[in-house]
Amino acid sequence: MVEATSVAEREQWSSWADFIMSCIGYAIGLGNVWRFPYLCYQNGGGAFLIPYCISLVFCGAPLFILETSWGQLMSVGGLGMFKICPIFKGVGIAAAVMAFWLNIYYIVVLSWAATYLYNSFTMSDVPWKNCDHAWNTPNCRSEYVKIPCDSNRTIAEFFNVKVLTHDHIHEYKKQFFVGEKMNWTVCSAADLSVVSPVKEFWNHRVLGISSGLENPGGIRWDLALFLLLVWIICYLCIFKGVKWTGKVVYITASFPYMMLFCLLIRGLTLEGAGVGLEFYLKPDFSKLLESKVWVDAVTQVFFSYGLGLGALVALGSYNKFNNNVYKQALTVCFVNSGTSVFAGFVIFSFIGFMATQQEKSVAEVAQAGPGLLFLAYPSGILQLPYTQFWSCLFFLMVLFLGVDSQFCTMEGFFTAIIDEFPQIRRKKYGREIFVGVICVISYLIGLTTVTEGGFYVFQLFDFYAASGWALLWLLFFECIAISWSLGIDRWYEHMKSMIGYYPSAWWKFCWVFATPSVCFGVLLFGLIKYQPLRIDAYNYDYPVWGHIFGWFLSLSSMLCIPGYAIWIWFKTPGTVQEKIKLLCRPDIEIKGAMENAENLELVEDFQNAI
């Protein structure tokens, strides 16, 4: 029997509510606002909820429960948790590496949001409303100013032809360029090359974007300053430990809901809101026959739940051993997915209004990712009274959504390292200094994302470092570690020792078969369909060395899993059977379970004495 390892006294949440609010703050982030609504619209509207809910039941909820309960069982972070199956400790190392990369680039989104927030209240009006600023070009023209022309594309669509002739154009002019359109013409190249002030503010004022990764340019010092401020805020949220973090998260997790509610009320009163909501929810069941829709549903669940990064394990590890983590995890899953759907109502009510005002279709103005936060929404509020107020409200919400996801991911990384090296905690101000040093290092590396070529660096990190196949690879082995290495029956006994009863047999089916199968299947599908990263908005293809660096980011975490398993196998003495026993199913004493057993013995002795 391997003796339980003694570590320095760990903190615990003040109450179970601290744990739930921390999980909500972590799991509910920018992905709920900028990714889910767009995927829902793009993949069949209301019909997308079918593969999304199936993915949630088969993959999202099982893995969420697994990670939080695993942390609670072991009362240790993402590295120490693998004492129950040491050969898979590489999964914990991979999660720490992935979390480190994520912490570096995710936070730059908050520096962009801070830039918009600052510019929203320091000028007489939002600076992306007109074209009279130093960063604007001669091609600048508001998207709300109608150009008195129709494009060749519009005319070709009217006649349903691919090649226009002079007769087509002449006939179109006779039919449509009359009355109020008497002075209209066919759009010239100059007419079609206009750029909105919103896009020019984003490209030239915020990003100062260069021609590509090959031209990094100088540091955008305003972004660097905002990036520093956000890092300081995140540091202050976690440096004292979970007693402090558990109180901070009540503000950071609840404030976005108040903002979303205010934005929803305003959005539903706007002209065209119904058009946007129709595009968001109108079901197109034919989409369910496309494999891409199902893959998008699975990846969205993994992305929005924050799985595989060690953060949920860390948050669970600060629970009391007998906390009912099972029911609490299910509650957080319900809140998370409900928030995604709720955010879609907010976003598409504004997009519908914007489409109506610009006389465009929803398809033309709907965007995902940074484009939704920093192009679509800033454009959508320009026609509202009190534009600055709504702008401040929105970007405050973005900051709060991002900050708690950021510092909870940081907590997952720091908990894993500090629990592995408890001497850090024993030293006076050891945690504070260690956290501060890593934050400084991360900030310095992150400066590469706030150069003139920083947006290309950000997209490279986002595509390769902490999502896609790297994350699926990690989650597959994480699930296998419990269901096949430790053994699912043994795991159910551990669950019963914590919550007092066996969870539903459904989770057993998911952990053993469904979840690992889906993870591995989607991983293979993604690799087979792999296409090199390209940024269509800037018509930019990455150089070969950029993709090589991207694969380095992916493999830096992925290779930790087989690499550590091979290393520990050859390092461990004994026969093959002895190695399997020590590395896959060791007999360890779990502190909480031991205390439970002792308490039961005391109760039985007391009852016998009576």
Side-chain angles (χ1 to χ4, degrees):
M1 178 91 51
V2 179
E3 293 184 1
T5 305
S6 62
V7 297
E9 190 66 27
R10 296 178 93 252
E11 290 184 291
Q12 290 186 328
W13 299 114
S14 299
S15 70
W16 57 265
D18 290 3
F19 168 68
I20 289 183
M21 291 301 292
S22 297
C23 286
I24 289 174
Y26 166 68
I28 297 171
L30 298 177
N32 300 77
V33 174
W34 80 10
R35 198 164 185 267
F36 176 84
Y38 180 80
L39 286 178
C40 200
Y41 146 71
Q42 189 183 50
N43 292 312
F48 180 70
L49 295 177
I50 296 174
Y52 177 80
C53 290
I54 292 173
S55 301
L56 169 63
V57 172
F58 278 89
C59 299
L63 284 170
F64 198 94
I65 294 169
L66 179 68
E67 292 195 2
T68 50
S69 57
W70 197 342
Q72 179 170 307
L73 174 73
M74 302 303 295
S75 293
V76 74
L79 294 175
M81 63 191 262
F82 287 95
K83 288 186 291 185
I84 59 176
C85 44
I87 199 168
F88 286 99
K89 189 174 181 179
V91 177
I93 299 171
V97 172
M98 202 176 290
F100 180 74
W101 295 134
L102 182 65
N103 288 334
I104 288 171
Y105 81 87
Y106 182 86
I107 198 170
V108 74
V109 179
L110 306 185
S111 72
W112 297 337
T115 302
Y116 274 81
L117 179 63
Y118 176 77
N119 282 279
S120 296
F121 64 77
T122 56
M123 296 187 178
S124 57
D125 205 346
V126 290
W128 56 87
K129 191 169 189 175
N130 49 55
C131 296
D132 55 2
H133 299 284
W135 58 80
N136 293 123
T137 68
N139 291 332
C140 182
R141 187 185 186 113
S142 173
E143 57 268 60
Y144 293 101
V145 176
K146 182 70 175 175
I147 302 174
C149 68
D150 280 339
S151 67
N152 287 338
R153 179 181 175 183
T154 302
I155 300 172
E157 288 177 351
F158 175 77
F159 288 106
N160 195 26
V161 295
K162 293 183 179 180
V163 179
L164 282 177
T165 65
H166 179 74
D167 291 338
H168 287 131
I169 295 174
H170 181 71
E171 181 64 26
Y172 190 87
K173 286 180 178 178
K174 284 175 59 178
Q175 289 191 44
F176 293 99
F177 292 173
V178 294
E180 294 181 356
K181 287 189 171 184
M182 184 177 295
N183 296 323
W184 280 46
T185 61
V186 178
C187 296
S188 66
D191 292 326
L192 296 175
S193 64
V194 296
V195 182
S196 72
V198 175
K199 187 172 287 187
E200 291 204 340
F201 177 79
W202 168 243
N203 287 335
H204 305 314
R205 172 65 185 87
V206 179
L207 298 180
I209 196 162
S210 69
S211 58
L213 194 65
E214 308 91 330
N215 301 301
I219 292 176
R220 305 286 295 176
W221 290 108
D222 54 340
L223 283 180
L225 176 60
F226 286 123
L227 185 65
L228 177 62
L229 290 175
V230 178
W231 268 112
I232 291 172
I233 291 171
C234 289
Y235 173 78
L236 294 176
C237 289
I238 67 168
F239 81 111
K240 281 292 186 184
V242 295
K243 295 281 188 184
W244 171 249
T245 304
K247 301 299 178 284
V248 172
V249 80
Y250 279 91
I251 300 172
T252 59
S254 59
F255 183 79
Y257 282 99
M258 293 187 285
M259 298 300 98
L260 277 172
F261 183 75
C262 292
L263 290 168
L264 177 66
I265 298 300
R266 185 66 183 103
L268 293 178
T269 62
L270 296 174
E271 179 187 2
V275 176
L277 295 179
E278 181 183 359
F279 269 80
Y280 172 49
L281 293 174
K282 185 178 180 180
D284 179 5
F285 293 105
S286 65
K287 288 280 189 179
L288 298 180
L289 300 177
E290 299 177 14
S291 58
K292 176 182 176 297
V293 173
W294 293 85
V295 172
D296 281 347
V298 174
T299 53
Q300 171 59 21
V301 167
F302 290 152
F303 181 82
S304 65
Y305 275 62
L307 301 166
L309 299 171
L312 292 173
V313 175
L315 297 179
S317 73
Y318 295 111
N319 281 328
K320 294 178 173 62
F321 186 80
N322 294 116
N323 178 61
N324 197 335
V325 66
Y326 173 58
K327 288 185 177 179
Q328 291 164 7
L330 286 174
T331 301
V332 176
C333 290
F334 176 79
V335 173
N336 187 318
S337 296
T339 302
S340 294
V341 176
F342 179 64
F345 283 92
V346 177
I347 297 301
F348 270 87
S349 62
F350 277 90
I351 286 180
F353 168 71
M354 184 169 67
T356 302
Q357 294 296 307
Q358 295 180 18
E359 299 181 7
K360 295 180 180 178
S361 68
V362 172
E364 291 178 278
V365 297
Q367 300 183 57
L372 176 62
L373 297 188
F374 303 111
L375 292 175
Y377 185 84
S379 174
I381 62 172
L382 290 178
Q383 297 298 98
L384 294 178
Y386 311 110
T387 301
Q388 288 173 286
F389 171 75
W390 294 109
S391 179
C392 288
L393 204 65
F394 179 76
F395 288 109
L396 267 176
M397 180 193 72
V398 170
L399 280 170
F400 275 86
L401 278 173
V403 161
D404 50 10
S405 294
Q406 174 72 20
F407 70 66
C408 285
T409 306
M410 291 166 60
E411 181 62 52
F413 174 79
F414 292 125
T415 298
I417 303 299
I418 293 172
D419 282 347
E420 187 71 7
F421 303 99
Q423 59 268 29
I424 295 174
R425 192 188 299 121
R426 293 193 189 106
K427 295 178 181 178
K428 187 176 183 181
Y429 303 119
R431 175 187 167 93
E432 291 86 342
I433 294 171
F434 175 71
V435 171
V437 169
I438 298 298
C439 286
V440 170
I441 293 172
S442 300
Y443 170 73
L444 294 175
I445 299 174
L447 288 176
T448 59
T449 63
V450 294
T451 61
E452 292 172 1
F455 185 73
Y456 303 104
V457 178
F458 169 82
Q459 292 285 1
L460 201 64
F461 269 86
D462 188 46
F463 187 78
Y464 285 103
S467 59
W469 46 79
L471 183 61
L472 290 166
W473 174 261
L474 186 155
L475 291 171
F476 170 77
F477 283 104
E478 180 181 88
C479 204
I480 290 295
I482 286 297
S483 57
W484 292 94
S485 177
L486 176 70
I488 195 64
D489 292 331
R490 196 174 182 184
W491 175 252
Y492 260 58
E493 291 299 329
H494 287 318
M495 290 289 293
K496 184 182 180 182
S497 70
M498 289 189 293
I499 63 176
Y501 56 90
Y502 293 115
S504 166
W506 169 257
W507 309 115
K508 183 179 291 190
F509 166 74
C510 290
W511 288 327
V512 175
F513 300 110
T515 306
S517 299
V518 171
C519 288
F520 196 72
V522 176
L523 168 64
L524 284 180
F525 183 86
L527 291 175
I528 292 169
K529 295 289 186 179
Y530 167 72
Q531 291 182 338
L533 174 62
R534 186 178 193 277
I535 304 181
D536 293 327
Y538 300 107
N539 193 28
Y540 178 71
D541 293 294
Y542 279 80
V544 174
W545 64 265
H547 293 295
I548 292 173
F549 177 71
W551 276 104
F552 161 74
L553 293 174
S554 291
L555 294 175
S556 66
S557 58
M558 294 175 72
L559 292 180
C560 291
I561 299 173
Y564 183 86
I566 294 170
W567 176 78
I568 196 67
W569 177 267
F570 286 106
K571 182 188 175 186
T572 303
T575 64
V576 172
Q577 290 77 11
E578 289 171 341
K579 288 184 178 184
I580 291 174
K581 175 64 178 175
L582 288 171
L583 297 179
C584 297
R585 297 190 178 186
D587 295 318
I588 66 168
E589 294 178 346
I590 298 171
K591 183 180 177 182
M594 291 167 59
E595 291 176 352
N596 261 9
E598 290 173 0
N599 290 336
L600 286 174
E601 287 179 7
L602 289 173
V603 170
E604 289 176 1
D605 290 344
F606 178 74
Q607 289 175 342
N608 291 333
I610 294 176

